[in-house]
Amino acid sequence: MNIINVEDAREAARRRLPRIFFDYIDGGSFGEETLHANRADFARWTLVQRVLNDVSTRDLATRFLGADHPLPFMLGPVGFLGLYAGGGEIAAAKAAHAAGIPLCLSTFSIASLAKLRQATTGPLAFQLYVMSDRAIGDELLAQAREAGVDTLFLTVDTTITSVRERDVRNGFRSLTRISPGLGARLMTRPLWCFDMLRAGMPEVGAVAHRPEFGKGVLEQASHLSRRIDTRLSWRDVDALRARWPGRLVLKGILSPEDALTARAAGADAIVVSNHGGRQLDGTSSTIAALPGIVDATEGGIEVLFDGGIRRGADIVKALALGASGVLLGRAYVYGLAAAGEAGVARILAHLTEEVSLTLGLMGMRSIDELKARGRAALRPR
Ligand SMILES: Cc1cc2nc3c(=O)[nH]c(=O)nc-3n(C[C@H](O)[C@H](O)[C@H](O)COP(=O)(O)O)c2cc1C
């Protein structure tokens, strides 16, 4: 299949993956209202077209998370990449690093941070879920330090997990082992099966050495999920801030009030995120929430963005509304599931071209110019 945009990659992923995994990636919680709003609300802003400004060269480099990056986006944390393509985390990291951008590894990953560090030398961030057993958290932080992680993303919108009805229907939610029925369904996707067999038995890399988590990714993930601390509060953010010397980012902020508290707690940045519409169904889209948060925080804390990004124009809109950089989620995961490292590379190349062309057609030559122009680059529809 000729993949020329994210939607093509989504379709290729749908054909290649067993349905249980495609639906896990693609779906949202309950009625999927917020999942759809994340996409639909980008259309509430139009791009201002300006002309005759010599756009023969365009520079997409910009600064976010304390570093200069050649592109205004990075790969956000997505669980179980190694189940969508053999060696998925390493494949995604290699594609990201070849493009010069960072990847944030999810706690729920097949490759451990150490494995990832061996495979690639580019910038790595780590996404942390706080566990009620603090010894596990200590161990995860130690792993992050050892791997040279400088930025920790604490996910704050998932202390309890919402219901994703596609997962309930497919039996993903309660999955701890592969039944004969599921095995038969998996075998309807032979290319994927072959890829998985070649990669070896998947495990959750961060806890694979702990026998109490059982064997294999399904059992380990189920144990790990049950240990996510549902009592997580701002006090834990204070405690983490005191212990983690690197950059601390709170991921999953959707209200100006929480953004201000994050700033007061000493977080370096927030990600305006609703977990890709997978948690509180009925809450606002991230693009609708972004301007209010940027206004309230008045530059006192860096604001990143994710949710629904499938086009270069979406990235341009988020940056114009005040995000310093954006995190890709499903966009790169569809590419990974469709064609491994090459699939991620293709998505990154497409988005790069789309951002560059969009910028030029708006009469601008750089991301920094876009950031300076800010909301004047957009009009409400
Ligand atoms: C399949 C899947 C798994 C995810 N796993 C995690 C995770 O382990 N940790 C986390 O902080 N966010 C996770 N997310 C949320 C993403 O980091 C991101 O917020 C979201 O995907 C952005 O929306 P988008 O996919 O529409 O771009 C996951 C998202 C998906 C689709």
Side-chain angles (χ1 to χ4, degrees):
M1 180 184 192
N2 192 13
I3 294 175
I4 65 157
N5 58 35
V6 173
E7 184 52 34
D8 286 349
R10 175 175 178 267
E11 186 51 30
R14 196 179 62 74
R15 288 198 210 153
R16 192 169 177 283
L17 283 179
R19 181 170 183 166
I20 192 168
F21 295 126
F22 177 77
D23 277 351
Y24 174 68
I25 297 167
D26 200 56
S29 52
F30 294 116
E32 300 190 340
E33 251 180 57
T34 298
L35 173 75
H36 293 298
N38 272 358
R39 284 291 311 127
D41 286 355
F42 279 109
R44 285 162 57 175
W45 295 99
T46 61
L47 305 171
V48 174
Q49 173 178 301
R50 301 291 305 275
V51 295
L52 298 175
N53 195 33
D54 182 0
V55 291
S56 53
T57 56
R58 272 106 54 200
D59 180 7
L60 301 195
T62 196
R63 196 168 176 80
F64 61 91
L65 291 175
D68 294 320
H69 301 281
L71 297 168
F73 46 85
M74 63 176 280
L75 304 193
V78 168
F80 309 116
L81 295 181
L83 285 185
Y84 319 140
E89 289 86 8
I90 290 172
K94 282 188 167 165
H97 293 160
I101 59 173
L103 163 128
C104 179
L105 189 77
S106 160
T107 297
F108 285 84
S109 290
I110 312 304
S112 64
L113 271 167
K115 282 253 168 62
L116 206 53
R117 188 69 296 167
Q118 277 165 20
T120 164
T121 52
L124 286 181
F126 182 66
Q127 174 267 323
L128 181 74
Y129 284 122
V130 173
M131 304 290 156
S132 36
D133 177 350
R134 295 302 150 105
I136 299 171
D138 290 347
E139 203 172 281
L140 293 174
L141 288 183
Q143 289 173 7
R145 256 184 241 111
E146 257 160 57
V149 163
D150 61 356
T151 304
L152 192 67
F153 285 74
L154 175 68
T155 299
V156 293
D157 59 8
T158 314
T159 54
I160 51 177
T161 306
S162 191
V163 168
R164 298 160 198 157
E165 293 182 359
R166 300 195 214 184
D167 294 348
V168 176
R169 247 182 225 112
N170 293 330
F172 188 85
R173 211 174 145 77
S174 50
L175 197 63
T176 51
R177 55 180 198 87
I178 297 181
S179 65
L182 176 59
R185 278 183 279 146
L186 296 183
M187 277 190 272
T188 62
R189 293 292 189 268
L191 283 179
W192 175 86
C193 285
F194 181 66
D195 195 14
M196 285 300 117
L197 285 174
R198 218 176 27 184
M201 184 168 89
E203 299 202 274
V204 177
V207 295
H209 60 285
R210 284 178 164 258
E212 72 271 26
F213 281 80
K215 277 226 155 304
V217 62
L218 299 176
E219 207 183 336
Q220 290 160 346
S222 151
H223 274 285
L224 203 54
S225 305
R226 273 185 269 130
R227 289 174 208 220
I228 291 180
D229 192 351
T230 54
R231 296 162 309 174
L232 192 73
S233 73
W234 287 106
R235 269 201 307 274
D236 300 291
V237 175
D238 293 339
L240 189 61
R241 178 65 292 181
R243 294 183 49 212
W244 176 256
R247 197 167 294 275
L248 179 64
V249 183
L250 301 192
K251 174 175 178 284
I253 299 287
L254 209 59
S255 81
E257 295 79 5
D258 285 344
L260 288 170
T261 313
R263 185 179 72 178
D268 297 289
I270 55 172
V271 184
V272 172
S273 175
N274 53 30
H275 218 91
R278 298 162 75 81
Q279 284 292 91
L280 177 60
D281 192 38
T283 194
S284 79
S285 66
T286 46
I287 201 69
L290 179 62
I293 290 175
V294 168
D295 288 345
T297 51
E298 296 177 317
I301 187 166
E302 183 176 351
V303 179
L304 294 124
F305 174 90
D306 79 13
I309 289 183
R310 306 289 181 270
R311 288 283 178 188
D314 305 334
I315 296 170
V316 167
K317 288 176 186 178
L319 298 173
L321 291 174
S324 61
V326 307
L327 279 67
L328 305 179
R330 294 178 183 87
Y332 83 87
V333 178
Y334 294 138
L336 178 73
E341 181 183 339
V344 179
R346 216 172 306 166
I347 292 300
L348 295 180
H350 286 314
L351 288 176
T352 301
E353 189 188 16
E354 285 189 29
V355 171
S356 174
L357 285 173
T358 302
L359 206 60
L361 292 168
M362 292 170 77
M364 283 183 279
R365 281 173 290 214
S366 71
I367 294 294
D368 289 341
E369 197 181 340
L370 169 70
K371 285 182 172 177
R373 199 177 288 184
R375 283 179 211 172
L378 308 179
R379 295 260 186 284
R381 191 181 290 277

